[in-house]
């Protein structure tokens, strides 16, 4: 009985020892050699040899662990692992928040960078444009400097030329003075050589007219509307010959009635005449239809001509010209015509004189002029020539003892010698100096020593 009890106690002791050893071994494995640790340690335990009698079943590896059993240590380890993982999660969350803020900041920085790039590009373009503008300004400045230099050079050249002209003028003035002295001496010799009764006659001078004075009797007939129509531009479209399939026309009034409203040169042919006439038709003045028979404007044509020239006509139809006494006679005898005389002075003022009827007598009568009543604002300087024949240097038909064409340097219906000389010498500037009144003057407008700038004589059938 005692033997059985002793054996039972020994076995119980071995079992308890083996259990405590197994637990300690498990703890040692969990703590020192975790399954995930690549460096595993192995332990060898020496157990003192026991004297066991009877059959004992023992496992060399110890009792099998209870896999379903959870101890406090396992719970503590799990809690520690969870706490560690929670801290790691919090750390990762913090890192993620920081990274998110960095990402947002990076996005903002990228956006600002793009804006800055755009602004820098814009500033670069502005700078480039400013550089180009300054370069252009420098080029323009260089061009202006060159122009200033050229103008300065030209001014110096003109100043030198002006000095030369002054010297030439002084020389010419001296020559003129000498000639004046010589002329005075020659006149004195002539007076000594001839008696006072033998001296050639000189035509009386026309008195100077400072103001325009019209005929008071006829001035009342001029209405305000009609006077406004009589202030045209004298430069009214002179140019080339107007080519038309119609014609030739008997006068410019027929040209107007045919529908041609452009002023210019047209081909005319008077009734009863086989001669073609190239004449200027003025359609911009007082409803048009005017045939221009004389024009002065620049002194480009010499009007000091003989009888044959004044009979056939001369000059340029689109410039200064005389249509010809024969042509004027053939045109005016076709019906009842009136005459319009346009005058322009050197300050741009334009006046007119209109005569209610106009025609010439044949050459056998010296192309004697016949005029009607006057109206206008230029003053009547032509009525005193009414009924007078035409006079030239080679055919003296005036009422003066001498030849008026010689003194007035032209051809005209002179009286003795008269109040107008529209075919005289074209002087520039208005007032001129001459021994005789040989300029283009109209006595009632400026006097005999004021040469007009431009003149036109036109005829048209009476309305």
């Amino acid at each position: 009985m005692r033997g059985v009890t002793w054996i039972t106690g020994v076995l119980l002791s071995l079992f308890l020892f083996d259990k405590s050893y197994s637990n300690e071994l498990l703890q040692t494995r969990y703590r020192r050699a975790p399954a995930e640790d690549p460096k595993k340690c192995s332990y060898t335990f020496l157990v003192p040899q026991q004297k066991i009698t009877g059959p004992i079943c023992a496992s060399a590896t110890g009792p099998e662990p209870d896999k379903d059993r959870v101890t406090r240590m396992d719970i503590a380890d799990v809690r520690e692992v969870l706490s560690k993982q929670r801290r790691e999660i919090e750390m990762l969350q913090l890192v993620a928040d920081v990274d998110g803020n960095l990402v947002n900041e990076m996005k903002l920085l990228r956006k600002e960078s793009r804006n800055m790039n755009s602004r820098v590009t814009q500033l670069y373009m502005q700078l480039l444009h400013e550089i180009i503008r300054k370069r252009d300004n420098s080029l323009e400045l260089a061009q202006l400097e060159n122009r200033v230099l050229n103008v300065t050079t030209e001014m110096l050249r003109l100043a030198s030329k002006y000095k030369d002209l002054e010297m030439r003028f002084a020389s010419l003035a001296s020559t003129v003075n000498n000639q004046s002295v010589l002329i005075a001496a020659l006149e004195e010799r002539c007076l000594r050589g001839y008696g006072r009764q033998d001296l050639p006659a000189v035509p009386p001078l026309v008195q100077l007219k400072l103001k325009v004075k019209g005929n008071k009797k006829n001035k009342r007939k001029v209405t305000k509307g009609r006077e406004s129509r009589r202030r045209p531009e004298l430069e009214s479209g002179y140019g080339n010959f107007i080519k038309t399939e119609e014609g030739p026309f008997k006068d410019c009034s027929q040209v107007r009635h045919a529908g041609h409203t452009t002023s210019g040169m047209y081909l005319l042919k008077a009734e009863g005449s086989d001669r073609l006439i190239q004449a200027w038709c003025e359609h911009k003045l007082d409803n048009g239809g005017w045939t221009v028979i004389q024009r002065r404007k620049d002194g480009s044509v010499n009007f000091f001509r003989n009888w044959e020239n004044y009979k056939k006509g001369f000059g340029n139809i689109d410039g200064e010209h005389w249509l010809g006494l024969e042509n004027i006679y053939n045109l005016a005898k076709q019906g009842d015509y009136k005459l319009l005389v346009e005058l322009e002075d050197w300050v741009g003022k334009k006046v007119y004189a209109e005569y209610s009827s106009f025609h010439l007598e044949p050459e056998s009568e010296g192309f004697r002029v016949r005029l009607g009543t006057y109206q206008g604002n230029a003053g009547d300087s032509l009525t005193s020539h009414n009924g007078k024949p035409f006079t030239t240097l080679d055919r003296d038909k005036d009422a003066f003892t001498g030849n008026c064409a010689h003194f007035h340097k032209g051809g005209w219906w002179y009286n003795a010698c008269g109040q107008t000389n529209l075919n005289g010498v074209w002087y520039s500037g208005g007032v001129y100096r001459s021994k005789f009144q040989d300029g283009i003057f109209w006595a009632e407008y400026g006097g005999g020593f004021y040469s007009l700038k431009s003149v036109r004589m036109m005829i048209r059938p009476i309305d």
Side-chain angles (χ1 to χ4, degrees), residues 107-124:
K107 289 181 180 179
L108 294 175
L109 288 175
R110 286 179 181 177
K111 185 175 180 180
E112 292 180 359
S113 177
R114 287 194 297 269
N115 294 335
M116 289 297 294
N117 290 334
S118 177
R119 181 59 179 167
V120 168
T121 303
Q122 184 179 2
L123 292 174
Y124 175 75

Side-chain angles (χ1 to χ4, degrees), residues 267-285:
L267 197 61
L268 307 180
K269 183 180 178 183
E271 295 177 353
S273 174
D274 296 332
R275 185 177 180 182
L276 294 176
I277 305 172
Q278 189 177 2
W280 185 272
C281 294
E282 177 57 52
H283 297 309
K284 294 184 179 180
L285 174 65

